[in-house]
Amino acid sequence: VVKQIGDKLGGDGHTRLGFGVLATVAVIREHLGDWVGAGEAHGQAAAGTLVVRRILDGSVLEAVESSGDHEDRSFYRFEPEQGGFTVLHMLPGATFREHPVEFTGEGLVWVGPPTEPSVEWVFGSDTLRCDVRWPGDDLPEVRMHWTRRA
């Protein structure tokens, strides 16, 4: 959808890139800020914080999730050559993974290879839910519910 609208705008790649940046910010803009979360991860109770903010010139959105001694970072950006969004997910142990992102009617899903879990974010007005589900599993391995920090 973003690529189709960008193509209709015409112009060079910078025009389409600029549109993609604006679309990225528009989709996630309402969810910028500080969040607190509770849920279950790997069969254990879990709690943490999530900070979502614009970085660089606003063309990249960073989400930092912390829980106990665990921290991971996700960087969302528009990929002009693919005409869509990607996420670069960084985990402890110098693990980096990049996935295309698809928008659903309720949020977004990271599209990964069939051997890796899917990550789905569901957006509410002042809530977020994140499910991490392994292929073939009915129940998520991780489910966190996030609310805005007061």
Side-chain angles (χ1 to χ4, degrees), residues 90-140:
M90 301 170 64
L91 298 156
T95 303
F96 294 72
R97 291 190 174 98
E98 190 165 14
H99 302 286
V101 174
E102 291 182 357
F103 291 94
T104 67
E106 298 180 306
L108 58 87
V109 175
W110 300 2
V111 181
T115 57
E116 292 186 18
S118 67
V119 177
E120 178 182 16
W121 285 92
V122 177
F123 302 150
S125 58
D126 280 322
T127 62
L128 301 171
R129 188 184 82 224
C130 181
D131 288 345
V132 178
R133 190 181 320 266
W134 284 96
D137 286 353
D138 291 333
L139 298 175

Short mmCIF file of all heavy atoms in Angstrom, two decimals, residues 90-140:
data_model
loop_
_atom_site.label_atom_id
_atom_site.label_comp_id
_atom_site.label_asym_id
_atom_site.label_seq_id
_atom_site.Cartn_x
_atom_site.Cartn_y
_atom_site.Cartn_z
N MET A 90 17.66 -6.42 17.56
CA MET A 90 18.95 -6.71 18.18
C MET A 90 18.72 -7.32 19.55
O MET A 90 17.95 -6.79 20.35
CB MET A 90 19.76 -5.41 18.31
CG MET A 90 20.02 -4.74 16.98
SD MET A 90 20.73 -3.09 17.14
CE MET A 90 22.28 -3.46 17.90
N LEU A 91 19.39 -8.45 19.80
CA LEU A 91 19.25 -9.20 21.04
C LEU A 91 20.62 -9.37 21.70
O LEU A 91 21.65 -9.25 21.04
CB LEU A 91 18.67 -10.59 20.76
CG LEU A 91 17.29 -10.62 20.14
CD1 LEU A 91 17.07 -11.92 19.40
CD2 LEU A 91 16.27 -10.45 21.24
N PRO A 92 20.64 -9.70 23.00
CA PRO A 92 21.92 -9.99 23.65
C PRO A 92 22.67 -11.09 22.89
O PRO A 92 22.07 -11.90 22.19
CB PRO A 92 21.51 -10.47 25.05
CG PRO A 92 20.18 -9.83 25.28
CD PRO A 92 19.51 -9.81 23.93
N GLY A 93 23.98 -11.11 23.07
CA GLY A 93 24.80 -12.09 22.37
C GLY A 93 25.13 -11.65 20.96
O GLY A 93 25.42 -12.49 20.10
N ALA A 94 25.03 -10.35 20.70
CA ALA A 94 25.32 -9.79 19.37
C ALA A 94 24.47 -10.43 18.28
O ALA A 94 24.93 -10.69 17.18
CB ALA A 94 26.80 -9.90 19.04
N THR A 95 23.20 -10.71 18.60
CA THR A 95 22.28 -11.30 17.64
C THR A 95 21.50 -10.18 16.94
O THR A 95 20.90 -9.34 17.60
CB THR A 95 21.30 -12.25 18.35
OG1 THR A 95 22.05 -13.25 19.03
CG2 THR A 95 20.36 -12.90 17.37
N PHE A 96 21.53 -10.20 15.61
CA PHE A 96 20.83 -9.22 14.79
C PHE A 96 19.95 -9.98 13.81
O PHE A 96 20.42 -10.89 13.14
CB PHE A 96 21.82 -8.37 13.97
CG PHE A 96 22.70 -7.49 14.79
CD1 PHE A 96 23.73 -8.01 15.55
CD2 PHE A 96 22.51 -6.12 14.77
CE1 PHE A 96 24.56 -7.19 16.29
CE2 PHE A 96 23.34 -5.29 15.51
CZ PHE A 96 24.36 -5.83 16.27
N ARG A 97 18.69 -9.59 13.71
CA ARG A 97 17.79 -10.17 12.71
C ARG A 97 17.00 -9.05 12.06
O ARG A 97 16.54 -8.14 12.73
CB ARG A 97 16.84 -11.17 13.36
CG ARG A 97 17.52 -12.42 13.85
CD ARG A 97 16.50 -13.47 14.27
NE ARG A 97 17.16 -14.70 14.61
CZ ARG A 97 17.46 -15.09 15.84
NH1 ARG A 97 17.16 -14.31 16.87
NH2 ARG A 97 18.05 -16.25 16.06
N GLU A 98 16.82 -9.17 10.75
CA GLU A 98 16.02 -8.18 10.03
C GLU A 98 14.84 -8.89 9.39
O GLU A 98 15.01 -9.96 8.80
CB GLU A 98 16.85 -7.47 8.97
CG GLU A 98 16.12 -6.29 8.38
CD GLU A 98 17.05 -5.37 7.59
OE1 GLU A 98 18.18 -5.75 7.28
OE2 GLU A 98 16.59 -4.25 7.29
N HIS A 99 13.65 -8.30 9.56
CA HIS A 99 12.42 -8.90 9.04
C HIS A 99 11.58 -7.85 8.32
O HIS A 99 11.50 -6.71 8.77
CB HIS A 99 11.56 -9.47 10.17
CG HIS A 99 12.23 -10.49 11.01
ND1 HIS A 99 12.47 -11.77 10.58
CD2 HIS A 99 12.73 -10.43 12.26
CE1 HIS A 99 13.07 -12.45 11.53
NE2 HIS A 99 13.25 -11.66 12.56
N PRO A 100 10.90 -8.25 7.26
CA PRO A 100 9.86 -7.38 6.71
C PRO A 100 8.73 -7.25 7.74
O PRO A 100 8.53 -8.15 8.57
CB PRO A 100 9.36 -8.12 5.47
CG PRO A 100 10.38 -9.17 5.19
CD PRO A 100 11.06 -9.48 6.48
N VAL A 101 8.01 -6.15 7.68
CA VAL A 101 6.90 -5.88 8.59
C VAL A 101 5.64 -5.73 7.76
O VAL A 101 5.63 -4.99 6.77
CB VAL A 101 7.14 -4.61 9.42
CG1 VAL A 101 5.92 -4.26 10.26
CG2 VAL A 101 8.37 -4.77 10.30
N GLU A 102 4.58 -6.44 8.14
CA GLU A 102 3.28 -6.28 7.50
C GLU A 102 2.31 -5.67 8.50
O GLU A 102 2.30 -6.05 9.67
CB GLU A 102 2.75 -7.64 7.03
CG GLU A 102 3.53 -8.23 5.90
CD GLU A 102 2.96 -9.56 5.41
OE1 GLU A 102 1.97 -10.05 6.01
OE2 GLU A 102 3.52 -10.11 4.46
N PHE A 103 1.51 -4.73 8.01
CA PHE A 103 0.51 -4.11 8.87
C PHE A 103 -0.79 -4.87 8.75
O PHE A 103 -1.21 -5.27 7.66
CB PHE A 103 0.34 -2.64 8.50
CG PHE A 103 1.57 -1.85 8.86
CD1 PHE A 103 2.56 -1.63 7.92
CD2 PHE A 103 1.75 -1.37 10.14
CE1 PHE A 103 3.72 -0.94 8.25
CE2 PHE A 103 2.90 -0.68 10.49
CZ PHE A 103 3.89 -0.46 9.53
N THR A 104 -1.42 -5.11 9.89
CA THR A 104 -2.71 -5.79 9.95
C THR A 104 -3.76 -4.74 10.30
O THR A 104 -3.42 -3.58 10.53
CB THR A 104 -2.70 -6.89 11.03
OG1 THR A 104 -2.58 -6.27 12.32
CG2 THR A 104 -1.54 -7.87 10.83
N GLY A 105 -4.98 -5.13 10.38
CA GLY A 105 -6.01 -4.19 10.79
C GLY A 105 -5.86 -3.73 12.23
O GLY A 105 -6.36 -2.68 12.61
N GLU A 106 -5.12 -4.51 13.04
CA GLU A 106 -4.99 -4.20 14.46
C GLU A 106 -3.59 -3.79 14.89
O GLU A 106 -3.39 -3.37 16.02
CB GLU A 106 -5.40 -5.41 15.30
CG GLU A 106 -6.83 -5.83 15.12
CD GLU A 106 -7.16 -7.03 15.96
OE1 GLU A 106 -6.45 -8.05 15.85
OE2 GLU A 106 -8.13 -6.94 16.75
N GLY A 107 -2.60 -3.97 14.03
CA GLY A 107 -1.23 -3.67 14.43
C GLY A 107 -0.25 -4.07 13.36
O GLY A 107 -0.43 -3.74 12.19
N LEU A 108 0.78 -4.81 13.74
CA LEU A 108 1.78 -5.24 12.77
C LEU A 108 2.34 -6.61 13.14
O LEU A 108 2.24 -7.06 14.28
CB LEU A 108 2.90 -4.20 12.64
CG LEU A 108 3.68 -3.83 13.89
CD1 LEU A 108 4.86 -4.77 14.12
CD2 LEU A 108 4.19 -2.41 13.74
N VAL A 109 2.92 -7.27 12.13
CA VAL A 109 3.51 -8.60 12.29
C VAL A 109 4.88 -8.59 11.62
O VAL A 109 5.01 -8.09 10.50
CB VAL A 109 2.63 -9.70 11.64
CG1 VAL A 109 3.31 -11.06 11.71
CG2 VAL A 109 1.27 -9.75 12.30
N TRP A 110 5.87 -9.14 12.31
CA TRP A 110 7.17 -9.35 11.69
C TRP A 110 7.09 -10.63 10.87
O TRP A 110 6.68 -11.67 11.37
CB TRP A 110 8.26 -9.54 12.72
CG TRP A 110 8.45 -8.38 13.66
CD1 TRP A 110 7.74 -7.20 13.71
CD2 TRP A 110 9.42 -8.31 14.70
NE1 TRP A 110 8.22 -6.42 14.72
CE2 TRP A 110 9.25 -7.07 15.35
CE3 TRP A 110 10.40 -9.17 15.15
CZ2 TRP A 110 10.05 -6.69 16.43
CZ3 TRP A 110 11.19 -8.79 16.21
CH2 TRP A 110 11.02 -7.55 16.83
N VAL A 111 7.51 -10.59 9.63
CA VAL A 111 7.47 -11.75 8.75
C VAL A 111 8.87 -12.37 8.72
O VAL A 111 9.81 -11.76 8.21
CB VAL A 111 7.04 -11.34 7.32
CG1 VAL A 111 6.99 -12.55 6.42
CG2 VAL A 111 5.70 -10.62 7.37
N GLY A 112 8.98 -13.54 9.30
CA GLY A 112 10.28 -14.20 9.36
C GLY A 112 10.26 -15.54 8.65
O GLY A 112 9.22 -15.97 8.14
N PRO A 113 11.41 -16.19 8.62
CA PRO A 113 11.47 -17.51 8.00
C PRO A 113 10.65 -18.51 8.80
O PRO A 113 10.36 -18.29 9.98
CB PRO A 113 12.96 -17.86 8.02
CG PRO A 113 13.57 -16.97 9.04
CD PRO A 113 12.70 -15.76 9.14
N PRO A 114 10.27 -19.64 8.19
CA PRO A 114 9.39 -20.60 8.86
C PRO A 114 10.01 -21.28 10.08
O PRO A 114 9.31 -21.93 10.84
CB PRO A 114 9.06 -21.62 7.77
CG PRO A 114 10.07 -21.42 6.72
CD PRO A 114 10.57 -20.02 6.82
N THR A 115 11.30 -21.11 10.30
CA THR A 115 11.95 -21.74 11.45
C THR A 115 12.06 -20.80 12.64
O THR A 115 12.57 -21.18 13.69
CB THR A 115 13.37 -22.20 11.06
OG1 THR A 115 14.09 -21.06 10.57
CG2 THR A 115 13.32 -23.29 10.01
N GLU A 116 11.59 -19.55 12.50
CA GLU A 116 11.68 -18.57 13.59
C GLU A 116 10.28 -18.17 14.03
O GLU A 116 9.32 -18.26 13.27
CB GLU A 116 12.45 -17.34 13.13
CG GLU A 116 13.92 -17.62 12.88
CD GLU A 116 14.70 -16.35 12.57
OE1 GLU A 116 14.21 -15.24 12.86
OE2 GLU A 116 15.79 -16.49 12.02
N PRO A 117 10.17 -17.69 15.27
CA PRO A 117 8.85 -17.27 15.75
C PRO A 117 8.36 -16.02 15.05
O PRO A 117 9.14 -15.22 14.56
CB PRO A 117 9.09 -17.01 17.24
CG PRO A 117 10.53 -16.70 17.35
CD PRO A 117 11.21 -17.49 16.27
N SER A 118 7.03 -15.87 15.01
CA SER A 118 6.45 -14.63 14.51
C SER A 118 6.26 -13.70 15.70
O SER A 118 6.07 -14.13 16.83
CB SER A 118 5.10 -14.89 13.83
OG SER A 118 4.15 -15.31 14.77
N VAL A 119 6.34 -12.42 15.44
CA VAL A 119 6.12 -11.40 16.46
C VAL A 119 4.96 -10.54 15.98
O VAL A 119 5.00 -9.99 14.88
CB VAL A 119 7.38 -10.53 16.68
CG1 VAL A 119 7.10 -9.43 17.69
CG2 VAL A 119 8.55 -11.41 17.13
N GLU A 120 3.93 -10.46 16.79
CA GLU A 120 2.74 -9.68 16.44
C GLU A 120 2.49 -8.63 17.51
O GLU A 120 2.46 -8.93 18.70
CB GLU A 120 1.51 -10.57 16.32
CG GLU A 120 0.26 -9.79 16.00
CD GLU A 120 -0.99 -10.66 15.93
OE1 GLU A 120 -0.96 -11.80 16.42
OE2 GLU A 120 -2.00 -10.18 15.40
N TRP A 121 2.33 -7.40 17.06
CA TRP A 121 1.96 -6.29 17.94
C TRP A 121 0.52 -5.90 17.63
O TRP A 121 0.17 -5.68 16.47
CB TRP A 121 2.86 -5.08 17.70
CG TRP A 121 4.24 -5.26 18.29
CD1 TRP A 121 5.33 -5.76 17.65
CD2 TRP A 121 4.64 -4.94 19.60
NE1 TRP A 121 6.40 -5.77 18.50
CE2 TRP A 121 6.01 -5.27 19.72
CE3 TRP A 121 3.99 -4.41 20.72
CZ2 TRP A 121 6.73 -5.07 20.89
CZ3 TRP A 121 4.71 -4.22 21.88
CH2 TRP A 121 6.07 -4.55 21.96
N VAL A 122 -0.30 -5.81 18.66
CA VAL A 122 -1.70 -5.37 18.53
C VAL A 122 -1.81 -4.03 19.26
O VAL A 122 -1.44 -3.92 20.43
CB VAL A 122 -2.67 -6.41 19.12
CG1 VAL A 122 -4.10 -5.90 19.05
CG2 VAL A 122 -2.53 -7.75 18.40
N PHE A 123 -2.28 -3.01 18.54
CA PHE A 123 -2.36 -1.65 19.08
C PHE A 123 -3.75 -1.35 19.59
O PHE A 123 -4.72 -1.49 18.86
CB PHE A 123 -2.03 -0.61 18.00
CG PHE A 123 -0.67 -0.77 17.35
CD1 PHE A 123 -0.49 -0.36 16.04
CD2 PHE A 123 0.40 -1.30 18.03
CE1 PHE A 123 0.76 -0.48 15.43
CE2 PHE A 123 1.64 -1.43 17.43
CZ PHE A 123 1.82 -1.01 16.13
N GLY A 124 -3.85 -0.89 20.82
CA GLY A 124 -5.08 -0.32 21.36
C GLY A 124 -4.86 1.17 21.53
O GLY A 124 -3.77 1.68 21.23
N SER A 125 -5.84 1.89 22.03
CA SER A 125 -5.68 3.34 22.17
C SER A 125 -4.61 3.68 23.20
O SER A 125 -3.78 4.56 22.97
CB SER A 125 -7.01 4.01 22.51
OG SER A 125 -7.52 3.46 23.71
N ASP A 126 -4.60 3.02 24.32
CA ASP A 126 -3.56 3.23 25.34
C ASP A 126 -2.98 1.91 25.81
O ASP A 126 -2.47 1.81 26.93
CB ASP A 126 -4.13 4.00 26.54
CG ASP A 126 -4.21 5.49 26.25
OD1 ASP A 126 -3.29 6.02 25.59
OD2 ASP A 126 -5.20 6.12 26.67
N THR A 127 -3.05 0.89 24.97
CA THR A 127 -2.50 -0.41 25.30
C THR A 127 -1.78 -0.99 24.08
O THR A 127 -2.06 -0.62 22.94
CB THR A 127 -3.60 -1.41 25.73
OG1 THR A 127 -4.51 -1.60 24.64
CG2 THR A 127 -4.35 -0.92 26.96
N LEU A 128 -0.87 -1.88 24.37
CA LEU A 128 -0.19 -2.66 23.33
C LEU A 128 -0.18 -4.10 23.80
O LEU A 128 -0.15 -4.37 25.01
CB LEU A 128 1.26 -2.21 23.15
CG LEU A 128 1.53 -0.77 22.76
CD1 LEU A 128 3.02 -0.47 22.84
CD2 LEU A 128 1.04 -0.53 21.35
N ARG A 129 -0.20 -5.02 22.88
CA ARG A 129 0.01 -6.43 23.23
C ARG A 129 1.04 -6.98 22.25
O ARG A 129 0.97 -6.70 21.05
CB ARG A 129 -1.28 -7.23 23.11
CG ARG A 129 -1.11 -8.67 23.66
CD ARG A 129 -2.32 -9.53 23.47
NE ARG A 129 -2.30 -10.07 22.10
CZ ARG A 129 -3.36 -10.12 21.30
NH1 ARG A 129 -4.52 -9.67 21.69
NH2 ARG A 129 -3.25 -10.60 20.08
N CYS A 130 1.96 -7.75 22.78
CA CYS A 130 2.97 -8.39 21.94
C CYS A 130 2.92 -9.89 22.17
O CYS A 130 3.00 -10.36 23.30
CB CYS A 130 4.36 -7.87 22.28
SG CYS A 130 5.64 -8.61 21.24
N ASP A 131 2.76 -10.65 21.07
CA ASP A 131 2.77 -12.11 21.11
C ASP A 131 3.95 -12.62 20.29
O ASP A 131 4.14 -12.17 19.16
CB ASP A 131 1.49 -12.71 20.50
CG ASP A 131 0.27 -12.51 21.38
OD1 ASP A 131 0.42 -12.17 22.56
OD2 ASP A 131 -0.85 -12.69 20.86
N VAL A 132 4.70 -13.53 20.87
CA VAL A 132 5.78 -14.21 20.15
C VAL A 132 5.36 -15.67 20.08
O VAL A 132 5.17 -16.33 21.10
CB VAL A 132 7.13 -14.06 20.88
CG1 VAL A 132 8.22 -14.81 20.14
CG2 VAL A 132 7.48 -12.58 21.06
N ARG A 133 5.19 -16.16 18.85
CA ARG A 133 4.63 -17.50 18.64
C ARG A 133 5.52 -18.30 17.70
O ARG A 133 5.86 -17.85 16.61
CB ARG A 133 3.23 -17.35 18.04
CG ARG A 133 2.42 -18.60 17.97
CD ARG A 133 1.04 -18.35 17.35
NE ARG A 133 0.41 -17.10 17.74
CZ ARG A 133 -0.45 -16.97 18.75
NH1 ARG A 133 -0.82 -18.01 19.44
NH2 ARG A 133 -0.97 -15.79 19.03
N TRP A 134 5.88 -19.52 18.14
CA TRP A 134 6.66 -20.42 17.28
C TRP A 134 5.76 -21.04 16.22
O TRP A 134 4.57 -21.27 16.47
CB TRP A 134 7.32 -21.52 18.11
CG TRP A 134 8.50 -21.01 18.87
CD1 TRP A 134 8.52 -20.58 20.17
CD2 TRP A 134 9.81 -20.82 18.36
NE1 TRP A 134 9.77 -20.14 20.50
CE2 TRP A 134 10.59 -20.28 19.41
CE3 TRP A 134 10.41 -21.04 17.12
CZ2 TRP A 134 11.94 -19.97 19.26
CZ3 TRP A 134 11.76 -20.74 16.97
CH2 TRP A 134 12.51 -20.21 18.02
N PRO A 135 6.29 -21.33 15.05
CA PRO A 135 5.48 -21.96 13.99
C PRO A 135 4.84 -23.25 14.50
O PRO A 135 5.48 -24.06 15.17
CB PRO A 135 6.50 -22.27 12.89
CG PRO A 135 7.63 -21.32 13.14
CD PRO A 135 7.67 -21.11 14.63
N GLY A 136 3.56 -23.41 14.23
CA GLY A 136 2.83 -24.61 14.62
C GLY A 136 2.26 -24.57 16.02
O GLY A 136 1.47 -25.44 16.38
N ASP A 137 2.62 -23.59 16.84
CA ASP A 137 2.09 -23.49 18.20
C ASP A 137 0.82 -22.64 18.22
O ASP A 137 0.77 -21.58 17.59
CB ASP A 137 3.11 -22.86 19.15
CG ASP A 137 4.25 -23.80 19.51
OD1 ASP A 137 4.17 -24.99 19.13
OD2 ASP A 137 5.21 -23.34 20.15
N ASP A 138 -0.18 -23.12 18.95
CA ASP A 138 -1.42 -22.36 19.09
C ASP A 138 -1.28 -21.21 20.08
O ASP A 138 -1.85 -20.15 19.91
CB ASP A 138 -2.57 -23.27 19.53
CG ASP A 138 -2.97 -24.26 18.44
OD1 ASP A 138 -2.77 -23.94 17.25
OD2 ASP A 138 -3.46 -25.34 18.79
N LEU A 139 -0.51 -21.46 21.15
CA LEU A 139 -0.34 -20.45 22.19
C LEU A 139 0.99 -19.74 22.04
O LEU A 139 1.99 -20.36 21.66
CB LEU A 139 -0.42 -21.11 23.58
CG LEU A 139 -1.74 -21.80 23.91
CD1 LEU A 139 -1.64 -22.52 25.25
CD2 LEU A 139 -2.87 -20.78 23.93
N PRO A 140 1.04 -18.45 22.37
CA PRO A 140 2.31 -17.74 22.25
C PRO A 140 3.30 -18.18 23.33
O PRO A 140 2.92 -18.51 24.45
CB PRO A 140 1.92 -16.27 22.44
CG PRO A 140 0.60 -16.28 23.10
CD PRO A 140 -0.07 -17.58 22.77
#
